[in-house]
Amino acid sequence: MKRRFDETFQAVNERFRQHFVTLFQGGNARLEMQQPKRGAKGEADDEDEELAEALPAKKNNIAGGVEIFVQIPGKKVQDLSLLSGGERSLVSSALLFALLETNPPPFCLLDEVDAALDESNVVRFCEILLTLAHQTQFIVITHNRVTMTHANVIYGVSMTDSVSRILSMKLAEAQVSAR
Amino acid sequence: MKRRFDETFQAVNERFRQHFVTLFQGGNARLEMQQPKRGAKGEADDEDEELAEALPAKKNNIAGGVEIFVQIPGKKVQDLSLLSGGERSLVSSALLFALLETNPPPFCLLDEVDAALDESNVVRFCEILLTLAHQTQFIVITHNRVTMTHANVIYGVSMTDSVSRILSMKLAEAQVSAR
Amino acid sequence: MYLKRLNLHGFKSFAARTALDFSPGTTAIVGPNGSGKSNIADSLRWVLGEQSMRQLRGKKSEDIIFAGGHGRAQLGMAEVTLTLDNASNWLPSEFTEVTVTRRAFRSGDSDYLINGTKVRLKDMLNLLSQARIGHDSYTIIGQGLVDQALSSRAEERRSLFEDAA
Amino acid sequence: MYLKRLNLHGFKSFAARTALDFSPGTTAIVGPNGSGKSNIADSLRWVLGEQSMRQLRGKKSEDIIFAGGHGRAQLGMAEVTLTLDNASNWLPSEFTEVTVTRRAFRSGDSDYLINGTKVRLKDMLNLLSQARIGHDSYTIIGQGLVDQALSSRAEERRSLFEDAA
Ligand SMILES: Nc1ncnc2c1ncn2[C@@H]1O[C@H](COP(=O)(O)OP(=O)(O)OP(=O)(O)O)[C@@H](O)[C@H]1O
Ligand SMILES: Nc1ncnc2c1ncn2[C@@H]1O[C@H](COP(=O)(O)OP(=O)(O)OP(=O)(O)O)[C@@H](O)[C@H]1O
Ligand SMILES: [Mg+2]
Ligand SMILES: [Mg+2]
């Protein structure tokens, strides 16, 4: 069980770094398993052990969490909090793509995950999506005209008198009112 | 003090409704002062009074909060949580505009507040911004090409080798890489 | 090809019988603010077994039933059916097409059906988990939540990996 | 016309001396992801007295000083100057132009200046509050926070009205 987790972790870590470099056109990124909190703090340990027993195995914090370290091309490694809105979306997307690639779910729905991205980043985001689309059926909700061009089928949703309806659309129609 | 608050509240309420109707092209909206929690619950009252004394006057929850009720055109009044991302931005913008209009601050900086809006809503949003710009100096950070057209001056920020620089831009240049 | 079709009737703003046919490739859903796009995402979460109203942006369980509007009465039931393609036999079923249906009534009652037969919620959840389809983790990324993995604590992130392992 | 100019030097990604001249009308700030737009918003909050690093997306106080990068050393100081137009005498000052400067050093020291003269933080906050300029409430709406008024509790919303009253 632990070995399988470690193998998965390594695989995701490798793909995370790769997708990060694609999205940021350079730089570096890695995930790190935090060591579980043990050691000199006797009192804290007893509390931790009680906590470990009380929590279900999956949520067992004593196993340690996953830290994310990124270095945007040209910049120094800094706390994730200092990243811009778009940069955060890209880092999170790189991690998501790595998870999707390592263990492809049958489908994946993304609701406006491109909202914070500028045009050139949307293009790179969509290119990765295209490669993953062979293994996973994507449903993408978007306002972005570039993202729309990457779909095989476009459904337009409209509301009349409080009722939603769906219409199959052609790309050109959809892009008219897109951003 | 209380009277001034009440007058302000009424003024903001009226403008909030007006801006809501402009942004949603109909419907209705109002703000309501919640009655402070008093009455039959004896024990709760004593706690409340202690709390009232402990908190600074401004944050005195016992004075009651402000509830928001909206009715999107054609739809029933529902909990705010059921609103869409864009609808939430619009309702919040209507409130913001009402506050800005009632007591105009010298300037106001908006960082990507148009991010969740579709094109036609951005247009309506900007029209209101235009009317308020006589009293308040707006600085608007945006990726949206429609929003850019409403500015007198556009500054383009770019980053080279980890250093940000600013350049004054013409509308046409700015729109090239806009969404 | 896994998801074949999504049928909605009475779920949130989808008062009328609505069908969404999926392509083996990528499907995009577009439209103005408030038109119902995220409601489709909610319906997928819901038919896959989501029990938390908060995840569905609601407060009480009847919030996901069409509330009525412009000269239109509210409905008494919400029903969503997901049709899965099973030609490659990725689902533990002898059928080439498997449908999963969920219904909710204003009374508070709920129905769960597999291929039109009523089952218990746990049977439906069992089928889905055997097929490795979850209503949680990273198969549905909600609006405004793309960077949730960054905001959550390191320990919470761990569960994403456990789902993938 | 109230804000005349913003000068940044060493604040976050603005390693070089940078000047932003404001128009009496609306000023738009555009650019790619990560270019530094929100950093400008942070610098405005900061020069107006923001003390919470969390509001500035940082963890420790030196996070707002240029950290260095591509073959460029970190800087030891961040300085932001806001120039306010006082032709209409809306500020309690006899000058037609009032400058407010804030500096932070890696050592942890801070300087606050009004018209080039060192003052205490409280003097600067006093001037700004008399001019009704706040670094809080609704004069600066941060990225991703436009619907904060809706998510916050009714009692928290009340403070917006008290600011306006
Ligand atoms: N039970 C219900 N009955 C009727 N209408 C509902 C119900 N629940 C939600 N709605 C309506 O659905 C609308 C929100 O739809 P949704 O969130 O899908 O919009 P959206 O297309 O995702 O928009 P955006 O682009 O702004 O995110 C709201 O206007 C809300 O009033
Ligand atoms: N102290 C610092 N020294 C150097 N660079 C910094 C410092 N603090 C933040 N940065 C950099 O500034 C960048 C973020 O800038 P900012 O948030 O202004 O981007 P933005 O233009 O608003 O982008 P977006 O459109 O994605 O919101 C990050 O890449 C970060 O590394
Ligand atoms: Mg939505
Ligand atoms: Mg930003």
Side-chain angles (χ1 to χ4, degrees):
Chain A
M1 186 60 197
K2 169 147 173 44
R3 203 189 76 204
R4 193 161 136 215
F5 179 92
D6 287 348
E7 284 173 3
T8 304
F9 183 80
Q10 283 319 319
V12 174
N13 202 355
E14 193 276 321
R15 295 314 299 153
F16 169 63
R17 186 186 166 287
Q18 190 54 53
H19 290 311
F20 177 93
V21 168
T22 303
L23 292 170
F24 283 94
Q25 298 186 300
N28 210 342
R30 74 173 188 283
L31 305 163
E32 228 174 62
M33 282 307 301
Q34 269 173 342
Q35 281 318 311
K37 303 185 173 47
R38 323 211 114 95
K41 305 179 189 163
E43 192 183 87
D45 271 347
D46 297 336
E47 284 180 27
D48 282 348
E49 283 185 26
E50 280 185 47
L51 191 64
E53 285 152 16
L55 290 175
K58 181 168 179 167
K59 297 261 181 303
N60 187 346
N61 291 355
I62 305 313
V66 177
E67 284 294 357
I68 305 176
F69 297 97
V70 307
Q71 186 243 316
I72 314 282
K75 304 176 190 176
K76 285 220 175 115
V77 177
Q78 284 184 309
D79 204 280
L80 288 181
S81 61
L82 289 164
L83 293 181
S84 81
E87 288 170 332
R88 287 174 64 87
S89 283
L90 289 177
V91 173
S92 212
S93 298
L95 177 56
L96 175 69
F97 287 146
L99 291 161
L100 290 172
E101 205 174 359
T102 308
N103 193 13
F107 61 85
C108 177
L109 188 148
L110 305 172
D111 193 344
E112 295 199 33
V113 300
D114 53 14
L117 304 182
D118 61 41
E119 288 296 79
S120 51
N121 279 327
V122 172
V123 169
R124 286 186 276 275
F125 176 93
C126 286
E127 283 169 358
I128 299 181
L129 212 57
L130 216 55
T131 66
L132 299 179
H134 302 131
Q135 310 184 80
T136 295
Q137 214 171 343
F138 283 100
I139 303 157
V140 185
I141 298 175
T142 185
H143 284 285
N144 192 291
R145 60 186 69 203
V146 170
T147 307
M148 290 174 201
T149 62
H150 286 81
N152 298 78
V153 176
I154 301 177
Y155 283 111
V157 187
S158 63
M159 184 171 283
T160 342
D161 294 343
S162 82
V163 178
S164 291
R165 299 180 193 282
I166 300 180
L167 268 178
S168 187
M169 289 178 104
K170 299 252 181 300
L171 182 61
E173 297 175 74
Q175 289 189 316
V176 161
S177 44
R179 289 199 303 225
Chain B
M1 186 59 197
K2 170 149 173 45
R3 203 188 77 205
R4 193 161 136 215
F5 180 92
D6 288 348
E7 286 174 5
T8 304
F9 183 81
Q10 284 319 319
V12 173
N13 202 357
E14 193 275 324
R15 296 313 298 153
F16 169 64
R17 188 187 165 285
Q18 191 53 53
H19 290 310
F20 177 93
V21 167
T22 303
L23 291 170
F24 283 93
Q25 299 185 299
N28 209 342
R30 75 173 190 283
L31 305 163
E32 228 175 65
M33 283 306 300
Q34 269 174 342
Q35 282 317 311
K37 303 186 172 49
R38 320 211 117 92
K41 305 178 189 169
E43 191 184 88
D45 272 345
D46 295 337
E47 285 179 28
D48 283 347
E49 282 183 28
E50 277 184 50
L51 192 64
E53 283 153 18
L55 290 174
K58 179 167 182 173
K59 298 263 181 294
N60 190 343
N61 289 354
I62 306 314
V66 178
E67 285 293 357
I68 304 176
F69 297 96
V70 305
Q71 187 243 316
I72 313 282
K75 304 177 191 177
K76 286 221 174 115
V77 177
Q78 283 184 308
D79 204 280
L80 289 180
S81 62
L82 289 164
L83 294 181
S84 82
E87 287 170 334
R88 286 173 64 88
S89 285
L90 289 176
V91 172
S92 213
S93 298
L95 178 56
L96 174 69
F97 287 147
L99 290 162
L100 289 172
E101 204 172 1
T102 307
N103 193 11
F107 61 83
C108 177
L109 188 148
L110 306 172
D111 194 345
E112 295 199 33
V113 300
D114 53 13
L117 304 181
D118 61 42
E119 289 293 80
S120 51
N121 278 327
V122 172
V123 169
R124 285 187 276 274
F125 177 94
C126 288
E127 282 168 0
I128 299 181
L129 211 57
L130 216 55
T131 65
L132 299 180
H134 303 130
Q135 309 183 81
T136 295
Q137 214 171 342
F138 283 101
I139 303 157
V140 186
I141 298 175
T142 185
H143 283 285
N144 193 290
R145 60 185 68 203
V146 170
T147 307
M148 289 175 202
T149 62
H150 286 81
N152 298 77
V153 175
I154 300 176
Y155 283 111
V157 187
S158 62
M159 184 172 284
T160 341
D161 294 344
S162 82
V163 178
S164 291
R165 296 177 194 286
I166 299 179
L167 268 178
S168 186
M169 289 178 102
K170 298 254 179 300
L171 181 62
E173 298 174 74
Q175 290 189 317
V176 160
S177 44
R179 290 201 302 226
Chain C
M1 176 64 159
Y2 300 104
L3 292 195
K4 213 162 182 176
R5 187 164 45 257
L6 188 66
N7 290 78
L8 295 84
H9 186 199
F11 185 89
K12 289 202 172 185
S13 56
F14 287 88
R17 286 185 187 285
T18 311
L20 201 66
D21 289 297
F22 294 110
S23 142
T26 300
T27 304
I29 297 177
V30 308
N33 293 131
S35 55
K37 307 180 296 294
S38 298
N39 288 349
I40 295 171
D42 293 338
S43 74
L44 187 59
R45 247 188 230 281
W46 186 71
V47 76
L48 295 177
E50 182 61 70
Q51 298 293 25
S52 153
M53 278 314 296
R54 194 160 160 277
Q55 288 283 356
L56 301 171
R57 293 179 289 154
K59 292 254 159 63
K60 39 202 197 322
S61 55
E62 26 171 4
D63 283 344
I64 51 94
I65 304 174
F66 180 69
H70 202 260
R72 193 154 180 149
Q74 74 181 16
L75 291 175
M77 173 185 90
E79 178 179 298
V80 176
T81 297
L82 183 63
T83 305
L84 300 158
D85 184 296
N86 196 26
S88 61
N89 220 8
W90 64 293
L91 289 164
S93 164
E94 69 264 25
F95 295 97
T96 52
E97 228 180 60
V98 176
T99 66
V100 171
T101 302
R102 181 176 182 176
R103 282 183 200 135
F105 300 87
R106 287 210 179 265
S107 57
D109 290 333
S110 281
D111 285 338
Y112 303 93
L113 299 88
I114 296 176
N115 288 334
T117 306
K118 280 196 191 172
V119 299
R120 299 163 302 173
L121 170 60
K122 63 197 288 264
D123 301 316
M124 196 173 96
L125 293 178
N126 236 347
L127 170 75
L128 295 172
S129 86
Q130 280 177 49
R132 310 222 44 193
I133 301 172
H135 65 81
D136 54 359
S137 190
Y138 50 87
T139 52
I140 300 182
I141 308 291
Q143 192 166 358
L145 299 177
V146 63
D147 65 348
Q148 203 174 35
L150 301 197
S151 333
S152 53
R153 290 175 306 114
E155 292 81 4
E156 291 166 327
R157 252 174 244 146
R158 191 197 165 85
S159 63
L160 291 172
F161 292 79
E162 286 160 347
D163 288 341
Chain D
M1 178 65 161
Y2 301 104
L3 291 195
K4 213 162 181 177
R5 186 163 48 254
L6 187 65
N7 290 78
L8 296 84
H9 186 199
F11 184 88
K12 290 204 174 185
S13 56
F14 287 87
R17 285 185 190 285
T18 311
L20 202 65
D21 288 298
F22 295 109
S23 141
T26 299
T27 304
I29 297 176
V30 308
N33 293 131
S35 56
K37 308 179 295 296
S38 298
N39 288 348
I40 293 171
D42 293 339
S43 73
L44 187 59
R45 246 190 232 279
W46 186 69
V47 75
L48 295 177
E50 182 62 68
Q51 298 294 25
S52 153
M53 278 315 295
R54 196 162 158 275
Q55 288 284 358
L56 300 172
R57 294 179 288 152
K59 293 253 157 64
K60 40 204 196 320
S61 54
E62 27 171 3
D63 283 344
I64 52 94
I65 305 174
F66 179 68
H70 203 259
R72 194 156 177 148
Q74 75 181 16
L75 291 175
M77 174 186 89
E79 180 179 294
V80 176
T81 297
L82 183 64
T83 305
L84 301 158
D85 185 294
N86 196 27
S88 61
N89 219 9
W90 65 291
L91 290 164
S93 163
E94 69 265 24
F95 294 97
T96 53
E97 228 182 61
V98 176
T99 64
V100 170
T101 302
R102 181 175 183 177
R103 283 183 201 134
F105 299 87
R106 286 209 180 266
S107 57
D109 290 333
S110 280
D111 284 338
Y112 304 92
L113 300 89
I114 295 176
N115 290 333
T117 307
K118 280 196 191 172
V119 300
R120 300 162 301 174
L121 170 61
K122 63 197 289 265
D123 301 317
M124 198 175 94
L125 293 179
N126 236 349
L127 171 74
L128 295 172
S129 90
Q130 279 178 49
R132 312 224 42 192
I133 302 173
H135 65 79
D136 55 356
S137 192
Y138 50 86
T139 51
I140 300 182
I141 308 291
Q143 192 166 357
L145 298 177
V146 64
D147 64 346
Q148 203 174 33
L150 302 197
S151 332
S152 54
R153 292 175 306 115
E155 292 82 3
E156 291 167 327
R157 253 174 243 146
R158 190 193 166 87
S159 63
L160 290 172
F161 291 80
E162 285 161 347
D163 287 343

